[in-house]
Amino acid sequence: MPTRSLDLQTSQVLDGTYFDLECALLDLKTRQLEEVCQPVYIPPMAKANLQARDDDLFSLIDKAQEFLTSNRQVMLILGDSGAGKSTFNKHLEVELLTAYKRGGPIPLFISLPAVDRLKKDLVAEHLRMNNFSEEQIKELRQYRQFVLICDGYDESQLTINLHTTNRFNRPGQWNVKMLISCRTQSLSQEYHSRFMPEGKSHYTRQAADLFQEAVIAPFSKKQIENYIEQYVPLEPRTWTTMDYMDSLTAIPNLMDLVKNPFLLTLSLEALPGVTEGRQNLSLIQISRVQLYDIFVRHWLDVNSRRLLRNTLCKEDRETLEQLLEAGFTSMGIDFSTRLATAIFEHQDGNPVVQYVHLKDKKSWRADFFGPDPEIRLLRESSPLTHS
């Protein structure tokens, strides 16, 4: 922080501003920690880049902590769909928030698809969304350092360099360390230019010495077993860890398919139903599509039972009875399928839908996000995230 010469009165005013700011940061920390729920977490391993050997691995959390103490400014975290990028980002946020001390670097987890003004006002816009005043934002920009954990670059359908367009680490601008995640499937050949900080002027090359990357590695067999050991006690089950491991090993090619957390979770949900009554597991063939179909059906079944247990108003109870009579699961699958199709037709596949009823009630969004009881019950039972 720059040295300033202050008279007593000015010092007291700044002390008050500092206190208010730390209170706002403490409130943000509390809310963020309350929102994080990670009942199962396996620390991911990673390799240095896409070209590195698959057996030359390191702990991703250790590498991230090393980055935070280095002179580098951007760390790119790559991984396939379902590899656990967002899960790792949330875990890192929890570690940094828990370790936060007054005056230290401020960790911010930013879901990029949820922020409108990404190109030039990323940090300020995120802080505004979290109820920081313009005066507080100005103070933070001038005197504090941030650790930005930017999640979902690919989901934002971005092609720009956020570090460059936001002028991070320039005089008078935000002082940041940026960790940013992206799916490997979304990369172009020259992807480094989207993430690497610029040199000191437009005429110099990008600063490779300020950049590093890491690629999340598939789960090992031991990690899969550790994941299942955490998964089994979460709710009453008839299957043990050994039952799951035996089935994963016996079904051809399944162990290779479940080496990322998302597909492993789908498999664990699906396996009891897939194997029921089957004597020879070596004859079972399972694809990703089958796993996802079974997962969605399981999800809808759980939510229909949740609704039956809940206290509902008369209109909602009557609507639920009609949905159950028509087949709640099939109605839910139809709803999700139509929504997915509409998102591709109207938003080019961008999965973030904003809906304000008075503004959007005559748009296609109303068919999926309007207040009609049938729409609402199906939406709330679908595998969607609401914020």
Side-chain angles (χ1 to χ4, degrees):
M1 182 180 295
T3 301
R4 294 178 293 180
S5 177
L6 304 172
D7 58 36
L8 180 60
Q9 185 177 6
T10 306
S11 177
Q12 289 173 338
V13 170
L14 286 174
D15 284 346
T17 302
Y18 177 80
F19 178 77
D20 290 344
L21 195 53
E22 286 298 335
C23 286
L25 290 170
L26 178 61
D27 180 61
L28 176 63
K29 171 183 174 178
T30 302
R31 283 187 282 112
Q32 293 296 91
L33 288 175
E34 286 176 350
E35 288 177 7
V36 176
C37 178
Q38 293 184 315
V40 180
Y41 179 73
I42 302 298
M45 301 297 288
K47 61 181 184 177
N49 51 55
L50 292 169
Q51 292 74 39
R53 288 170 38 189
D54 291 339
D55 60 352
D56 188 10
L57 303 178
F58 49 77
S59 164
L60 183 56
I61 190 67
D62 289 348
K63 189 62 69 173
Q65 295 286 7
E66 179 186 307
F67 161 76
L68 294 176
T69 59
S70 73
N71 293 324
R72 294 186 174 94
Q73 296 180 8
V74 176
M75 180 174 181
L76 172 63
I77 299 174
L78 299 172
D80 292 339
S81 180
K85 300 180 293 299
S86 296
T87 303
F88 170 79
N89 287 341
K90 295 299 289 185
H91 179 79
L92 177 63
E93 178 198 23
V94 170
E95 284 209 357
L96 296 180
L97 284 173
T98 303
Y100 172 75
K101 295 180 180 178
R102 288 189 174 188
I106 301 166
L108 288 182
F109 177 93
I110 302 177
S111 176
L112 294 177
V115 182
D116 288 332
R117 301 170 65 185
L118 291 170
K119 293 184 179 181
K120 295 183 179 180
D121 209 21
L122 173 60
V123 181
E125 187 69 14
H126 181 77
L127 292 172
R128 290 185 192 106
M129 291 168 60
N130 284 279
N131 303 317
F132 283 77
S133 69
E134 293 303 319
E135 183 182 357
Q136 290 172 327
I137 291 171
K138 182 179 178 180
E139 183 81 6
L140 289 168
R141 185 199 302 265
Q142 192 169 0
Y143 297 114
R144 301 296 293 274
Q145 184 186 49
F146 286 81
V147 177
L148 306 183
I149 307 171
C150 298
D151 191 62
Y153 179 90
D154 51 283
E155 294 175 20
S156 302
Q157 300 185 333
L158 291 168
T159 57
I160 59 171
N161 187 319
L162 291 175
H163 190 279
T164 300
T165 59
N166 282 273
R167 295 182 57 79
F168 288 144
N169 302 318
R170 302 282 182 178
Q173 302 299 323
W174 295 97
N175 180 7
V176 309
K177 292 269 193 175
M178 173 186 275
L179 298 99
I180 185 166
S181 64
C182 181
R183 285 187 299 173
T184 50
Q185 296 98 322
S186 301
L187 297 176
S188 62
Q189 274 193 318
E190 304 297 328
Y191 69 89
H192 287 109
S193 63
R194 297 188 187 182
F195 305 101
M196 195 176 291
E198 278 192 351
K200 294 184 178 180
S201 76
H202 294 298
Y203 302 102
T204 57
R205 293 185 177 181
Q206 288 183 299
D209 60 321
L210 300 179
F211 172 81
Q212 74 180 78
E213 60 186 306
V215 183
I216 296 180
F219 272 174
S220 65
K221 185 176 181 180
K222 182 62 177 175
Q223 285 177 303
I224 292 173
E225 187 171 1
N226 289 342
Y227 189 100
I228 297 172
E229 287 174 350
Q230 295 182 36
Y231 169 85
V232 168
L234 293 180
E235 58 184 70
R237 306 179 197 278
T238 57
W239 280 36
T240 65
T241 300
M242 185 175 294
D243 292 328
Y244 282 108
M245 288 300 296
D246 287 346
S247 294
L248 289 173
T249 304
I251 297 174
N253 305 315
L254 186 54
M255 190 64 82
D256 290 331
L257 185 64
V258 300
K259 288 186 176 180
N260 78 41
F262 178 67
L263 290 175
L264 176 56
T265 302
L266 296 190
S267 298
L268 298 181
E269 296 286 349
L271 273 172
V274 169
T275 60
E276 186 176 7
R278 308 289 287 271
Q279 298 299 318
N280 190 347
L281 299 185
S282 65
L283 298 178
I284 298 176
Q285 299 292 327
I286 298 180
S287 69
R288 292 184 181 212
V289 174
Q290 288 172 304
L291 287 178
Y292 193 70
D293 283 347
I294 294 169
F295 168 77
V296 170
R297 289 180 178 278
H298 176 76
W299 181 289
L300 289 165
D301 180 58
V302 168
N303 277 277
S304 67
R305 286 186 272 118
R306 173 185 59 81
L307 288 171
L308 281 169
R309 293 193 302 268
N310 288 356
T311 301
L312 304 176
C313 68
K314 181 180 178 182
E315 186 179 23
D316 283 0
R317 178 63 61 183
E318 291 175 351
T319 302
L320 176 60
E321 290 174 358
Q322 293 170 11
L323 288 170
L324 291 169
E325 184 179 355
F328 190 92
T329 299
S330 61
M331 295 293 287
I333 290 173
D334 176 69
F335 176 87
S336 296
T337 303
R338 288 187 292 107
L339 174 57
T341 302
I343 285 173
F344 272 91
E345 288 179 349
H346 298 284
Q347 298 194 161
D348 294 327
N350 179 5
V352 179
V353 180
Q354 295 184 346
Y355 182 80
V356 178
H357 183 63
L358 290 179
K359 290 168 54 180
D360 299 317
K361 61 183 178 180
K362 294 184 179 180
S363 72
W364 67 269
R365 298 177 182 87
D367 292 338
F368 305 97
F369 299 94
D372 178 83
E374 180 180 328
I375 292 172
R376 180 163 44 77
L377 291 177
L378 290 173
R379 179 177 68 247
E380 292 175 355
S381 302
S382 299
L384 301 171
T385 300
H386 173 258
S387 60

